[in-house]
Amino acid sequence: MKFGGTSVADLDRIENAARRVAREAEAGNEVAVVVSAMAGVTNQLVSYVDQTSRIYDAREYDAVVSSGEQVTAGLMALRLQEMGISARSWQGWQIPIRTNEVHGKARIEEIPADNLDDRLSQGEVAIVAGFQGISPRNRIATLGRGGSDTTAVALAAALNADRCDIYTDVDGVYTTDPRIVPRARKIEKISHEEMLEMASLGAKVLQTRCVELAMNHGVRLQVLSSFEDLPGTLVVDEDEIVEQQVVSGIAYSRDEAKITLIRVADKPGIAAAIFGPLSDAAVNVDMIVQSVSPDGERTDMTFTVTKTDLDRAVETLKAHADEIEYDQLLADANVVKVSVIGVGMRSHTGVAQTMFQTLSDKGINIQVISTSEIKISTLISEDYTELAIRALHTAYGLDAE
Ligand code: ASP
Ligand code: MG
């Protein structure tokens, strides 16, 4: 069971979460709990560091910001003890959760879970501080913001858990953002692969890295609310899903910007000349389209980068204008990427056509298209975000009755 920051935001909420833990333990389950810092605490700690040291020692940053989870873990253990449940807190190093040395953004390398496992089988509930581990040099290392989800999934894998329940402030994964489409439905079951696409294409319920980890280790996830007693969304292996929808969900990302290079030379090495310097400048490139060149000499190249990378990308391309040889550089931040996702696409035809026709019926121009086996993404003007998502949601039969 993993409880995020809003689910443990104050003592009452910690008590509420502890009651859920107690219920599982009393039902005869062995329970390991991963907790986040109380809502707002990590931000506060980060700001203390920023105010103390402008270019800080990342190991000390980790020493400071990892402390929020330690507080919650201790409080949760105390609360459970008050309820008559045997429980103790565990910090990352006590298990140990071994990470690499990339402080502030460490990856978990291994979790020898024998100690923890022994205690669990003795009926003791484990409350594990999320977001932290220990580096090869015995320093506390944090996993990057939002990293407690990753702790939970990694621990579930190490313990061979039946399930990893992620308790949060929403009650599941929806077919699309309910703020845009009020008739969006809660998804009962979704495959890891689809969830991974949803997460990386803009749905913010779960971190991409945590879903990836769950997929690689076959961890069954459930996303559910800590405030309501409702079943959430199960994220499971594709084989477990009997009634597969063709399209499971629609995701969108406003964090895209489009760059077009007009009339670049059409010769070997030109893509490398464009994307090499961008990669050196740590610009993340997403969709790429190169058109055919009518004269065999010159062609246009369009691609997208994240909005925050746009200025750096444009500067980089200008600095390398001599090697790339282009006539003109156009940049447009007023775009959104809308994607439809579903493993059913592998076996059904016409899924892309439905998307194109629907957008065309609304008079929306598609600027860039990219596809994978289980998703189709289109880049359109940001002004049409809501219109496009609503129309697609209806077209794929996803609207709630
Ligand atoms: N407390 C950490 C953060 O706010 C980790 C987490 O909540 O997942 O980023
Ligand atoms: Mg969090």
Side-chain angles (χ1 to χ4, degrees):
M1 304 174 79
K2 184 263 173 179
F3 294 92
T6 49
S7 303
V8 292
D10 55 37
L11 295 179
D12 285 343
R13 289 193 178 177
I14 291 176
E15 184 176 352
N16 168 65
R19 246 184 268 121
R20 289 178 185 275
V21 175
R23 212 192 295 162
E24 294 292 350
E26 279 161 357
N29 293 304
E30 289 177 19
V31 190
V33 180
V34 172
V35 288
S36 284
M38 296 159 85
V41 167
T42 309
N43 286 344
Q44 177 65 262
L45 295 169
V46 169
S47 119
Y48 287 152
V49 172
D50 284 339
Q51 290 173 57
T52 305
S53 174
R54 207 169 54 82
I55 301 172
Y56 49 74
D57 176 344
R59 292 161 299 190
E60 300 307 344
Y61 165 94
D62 278 350
V64 176
V65 303
S66 61
S67 64
E69 273 70 11
Q70 184 176 337
V71 173
T72 326
L75 290 172
M76 171 83 84
L78 287 173
R79 178 49 72 195
L80 283 163
Q81 290 172 5
E82 291 294 320
M83 295 172 173
I85 305 275
S86 158
R88 71 155 274 192
S89 65
W90 295 77
Q91 289 176 248
W93 63 269
Q94 293 173 316
I95 295 180
I97 294 176
R98 295 194 198 286
T99 69
N100 64 13
E101 242 180 307
V102 187
H103 283 275
K105 235 196 227 174
R107 292 186 82 95
I108 296 176
E109 310 243 280
E110 120 178 268
I111 306 181
D114 296 358
N115 280 340
L116 196 66
D117 222 357
D118 278 353
R119 296 295 199 92
L120 289 177
S121 45
Q122 290 164 30
E124 188 180 74
V125 175
I127 316 294
V128 177
F131 180 52
Q132 53 164 276
I134 184 150
S135 79
R137 287 174 201 252
N138 263 0
R139 304 291 302 259
I140 292 175
T142 63
L143 307 179
R145 295 305 306 270
S148 295
D149 285 347
T150 306
T151 306
V153 174
L155 203 58
L159 290 168
N160 226 331
D162 298 322
R163 213 173 57 225
C164 177
D165 286 346
I166 309 267
Y167 286 87
T168 178
D169 50 5
V170 296
D171 63 355
V173 180
Y174 278 73
T175 48
T176 195
D177 187 343
R179 287 168 304 185
I180 292 185
V181 182
R183 294 173 75 186
R185 278 188 292 112
K186 182 157 74 182
I187 300 172
E188 221 177 290
K189 270 189 189 177
I190 186 169
S191 69
H192 287 119
E193 236 184 315
E194 290 168 309
M195 191 62 230
L196 191 59
E197 292 283 7
M198 295 275 273
S200 53
L201 293 168
K204 299 215 168 58
V205 208
L206 288 174
Q207 261 192 323
T208 310
R209 218 166 112 210
C210 122
V211 184
E212 206 171 30
L213 203 62
M215 182 163 88
N216 293 340
H217 293 272
V219 174
R220 303 174 73 239
L221 288 176
Q222 182 177 205
V223 180
L224 70 176
S225 161
S226 55
F227 307 119
E228 282 165 289
D229 272 316
L230 293 171
T233 298
L234 278 171
V235 186
V236 294
D237 200 87
E238 206 180 314
D239 303 339
E240 238 191 90
I241 304 175
V242 188
E243 283 281 315
Q244 190 65 64
Q245 296 273 340
V246 177
V247 165
S248 299
I250 299 170
Y252 68 101
S253 166
R254 295 184 198 268
D255 189 26
E256 298 268 333
K258 181 183 67 169
I259 294 177
T260 302
L261 294 173
I262 307 277
R263 289 180 58 76
V264 293
D266 188 17
K267 61 180 188 197
I270 210 66
I274 295 171
F275 298 111
L278 289 176
S279 145
D280 292 343
V283 171
N284 215 336
V285 175
D286 180 18
M287 309 164 98
I288 303 177
V289 194
Q290 185 194 320
S291 52
V292 292
S293 88
D295 55 3
E297 305 263 312
R298 299 256 158 183
T299 181
D300 299 341
M301 184 82 87
T302 297
F303 54 91
T304 64
V305 300
T306 58
K307 278 198 168 83
T308 42
D309 282 351
L310 181 60
D311 289 344
R312 199 147 32 94
V314 169
E315 268 171 44
T316 306
L317 293 168
K318 284 187 174 155
H320 289 80
D322 287 347
E323 298 103 87
I324 306 172
E325 301 175 45
Y326 54 85
D327 277 6
Q328 221 187 326
L329 188 164
L330 308 175
D332 181 6
N334 185 37
V335 290
V336 61
K337 181 170 68 171
V338 176
S339 310
V340 303
I341 296 140
V343 289
M345 271 178 219
R346 292 202 195 107
S347 48
H348 287 76
T349 55
V351 182
Q353 176 54 18
T354 301
M355 181 174 206
F356 305 151
Q357 191 61 53
T358 305
L359 295 176
S360 143
D361 289 347
K362 296 289 176 194
I364 300 170
N365 188 38
I366 300 172
Q367 304 179 16
V368 182
I369 301 169
S370 75
T371 65
S372 80
E373 216 187 359
I374 65 159
K375 70 121 205 278
I376 309 154
S377 298
T378 54
L379 195 74
I380 62 173
S381 158
E382 194 171 356
D383 305 340
Y384 298 124
T385 311
E386 282 81 7
L387 180 64
I389 294 171
R390 284 189 197 122
L392 290 168
H393 200 265
T394 306
Y396 286 108
L398 295 173
D399 289 347
E401 301 296 295

